[in-house]
């Protein structure tokens, strides 16, 4: 894809940002990303003792990445599998450590960006259905009546998305997949507009709605370990930034992230409130609340 439209869009999005010297934390445009961005921003404000600008809910992967490369963001949370396939356009790999090493070295060499250690959870893609009669994607591929599939916009095009999934599993589809905003997928499933969705493993609504994740029994999806990606220049210019970010490493299990997401999506609580409660409870020792 041509970089020029994205560079222009990044400039347009941030044209009113001003010349503030504050740290800028970004995120992509779904609940988990906004929540992680808010947690990181609040944590940095407490540890560094200065306000942090938030550019959350920006858009998809490429917009957030281009904003970081252009210096309009200092950092944002990303996923190793997404970086490997959607950004770097490299082949899918199922080894978590190898993927992180490859992504880390490529980002450093190409753009001067640093991948910190993972936050602790793997938010892989999850093919979600109602009921639990089927256990695996291979079983779903043998369904005679076919599937009405709902997907996010990126999933249609990504090399680790629908095209590759269909090469491996050949899921029978009743019609063309319905693409929609990620936040609408569960509503569409609940209202029987679709009967399978391409969601995320840490979505809080999976457990709350008694839905079932089909096991990727052929190991198609790569690891999607979440980590903070930060400009090397920002780390160099701001003493204490790296140490503060490292305090978040390994603090989020899959279950922890699922519960946090549900507090926003299921209980309709503001992300800022959920982030503050998480930091107060889980990270009080490192966030200055002793």
């Amino acid at each position: 894809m041509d970089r020029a439209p994205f560079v222009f869009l990044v400039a347009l999005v941030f044209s009113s940002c001003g010349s503030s010297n504050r740290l800028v934390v970004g995120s992509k445009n779904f609940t988990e990303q906004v929540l992680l961005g808010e947690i990181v921003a609040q944590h940095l404000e407490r540890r560094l003792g200065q306000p942090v600008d938030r550019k959350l809910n920006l858009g998809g992967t490429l917009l957030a990445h281009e904003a970081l490369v252009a210096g309009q963001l200092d950092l944002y949370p990303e996923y190793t599998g997404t970086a490997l396939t959607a950004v770097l356009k490299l082949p899918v790999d199922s080894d978590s450590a190898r993927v992180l090493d490859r992504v880390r070295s490529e980002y450093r060499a190409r753009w001067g960006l640093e991948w910190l250690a993972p936050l602790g959870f793997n938010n892989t893609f999850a093919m979600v259905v109602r009921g639990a009669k089927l256990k695996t994607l291979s079983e779903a591929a043998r369904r005679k009546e076919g599937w009405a599939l709902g997907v996010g916009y990126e999933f249609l095009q990504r090399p680790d998305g629908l095209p590759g999934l269909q090469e491996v599993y050949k899921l029978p589809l009743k019609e063309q997949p319905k693409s929609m905003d990620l936040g609408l997928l569960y509503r569409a499933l609940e209202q029987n507009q679709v009967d399978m969705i391409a969601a995320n493993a840490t979505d809080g609504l999976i457990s709350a709605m008694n839905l079932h994740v089909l096991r990727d029994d052929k190991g198609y999806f790569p690891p999607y370990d979440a980590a903070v990606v930060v400009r090397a220049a920002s780390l160099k210019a701001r003493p204490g930034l790296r140490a503060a970010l490292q305090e978040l490493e390994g603090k989020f299990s899959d279950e922890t992230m699922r519960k946090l997401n549900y507090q926003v999506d299921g209980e309709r609580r503001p992300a800022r409130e959920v982030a503050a409660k998480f930091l107060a409870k889980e990270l009080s020792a490192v966030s200055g609340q002793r």
Side-chain angles (χ1 to χ4, degrees), residues 44 79 137 219 225 228 232 243 287:
L44 291 178
Y79 308 91
L137 282 169
D225 295 311
V228 173
S287 62

Side-chain angles (χ1 to χ4, degrees), residues 8 17 111 136 162 209 240:
F8 173 77
C17 287
W111 303 297
T136 69
L162 185 60
M209 296 175 62

Side-chain angles (χ1 to χ4, degrees), residues 60-279:
T61 297
L62 295 183
L63 179 57
H65 173 72
E66 291 290 349
L68 189 64
V69 170
Q72 304 291 354
L73 301 178
D74 290 289
L75 55 103
Y76 83 99
E78 187 53 279
Y79 308 91
T80 53
T82 301
L84 182 75
T85 58
V87 179
L88 296 171
K89 312 297 184 186
L90 296 175
V92 172
D93 189 336
S94 61
D95 186 276
S96 295
R98 192 164 55 224
V99 170
L100 177 59
D101 286 345
R102 184 69 187 276
V103 165
R104 182 173 278 156
S105 63
E106 292 286 346
Y107 268 60
R108 183 181 296 128
R110 296 189 192 193
W111 303 297
L113 302 176
E114 294 291 329
W115 276 76
L116 302 186
L119 295 170
F121 69 94
N122 174 22
N123 188 10
T124 185
F125 279 117
M127 306 308 292
V128 178
V129 298
R130 296 183 296 271
K133 291 183 179 179
L134 301 178
K135 304 296 184 182
T136 69
L137 282 169
S138 291
E139 291 175 352
R142 296 192 289 269
R143 189 186 196 217
K144 293 182 179 180
E145 60 266 39
W147 296 94
L149 178 62
V151 300
Y153 302 113
E154 287 190 5
F155 194 75
L156 288 175
Q157 305 295 332
R158 286 172 54 147
D160 56 342
L162 185 60
L165 182 72
Q166 287 299 73
E167 287 184 15
V168 173
Y169 287 105
K170 297 179 174 58
L171 295 172
L173 301 180
K174 297 177 181 177
E175 56 191 5
Q176 287 295 316
K178 296 180 180 179
S179 60
M180 62 192 75
D181 186 86
L182 293 174
L184 299 178
L185 287 173
Y186 287 95
R187 184 184 304 172
L189 188 60
E190 182 180 33
Q191 296 176 351
N192 295 317
Q193 298 173 22
V194 297
D195 49 28
M196 178 190 290
I197 60 174
N200 301 304
T202 53
D203 288 345
L205 292 176
I206 292 175
S207 297
M209 296 175 62
N210 196 30
L211 301 174
H212 180 68
V213 176
L214 296 172
R215 182 164 57 86
D216 178 16
D217 53 301
K218 294 184 179 180
Y220 165 66
F221 292 119
Y224 297 87
D225 295 311
V228 173
V229 187
V230 56
R231 292 173 56 81
S234 301
L235 291 171
K236 183 177 180 179
R238 297 178 183 274
L241 176 58
R242 183 187 292 272
L245 291 171
Q246 287 173 334
E247 291 169 346
L248 295 172
E249 294 170 359
K251 295 297 191 296
F252 302 78
S253 67
D254 289 6
E255 183 60 26
T256 295
M257 200 67 242
R258 197 174 293 122
K259 289 179 179 178
L260 292 173
N261 287 332
Y262 180 71
Q263 289 174 34
V264 177
D265 285 334
E267 298 175 356
R268 303 300 180 186
R269 294 170 56 191
R272 185 179 292 267
E273 175 187 314
V274 174
K277 184 177 181 180
F278 171 78
L279 289 168

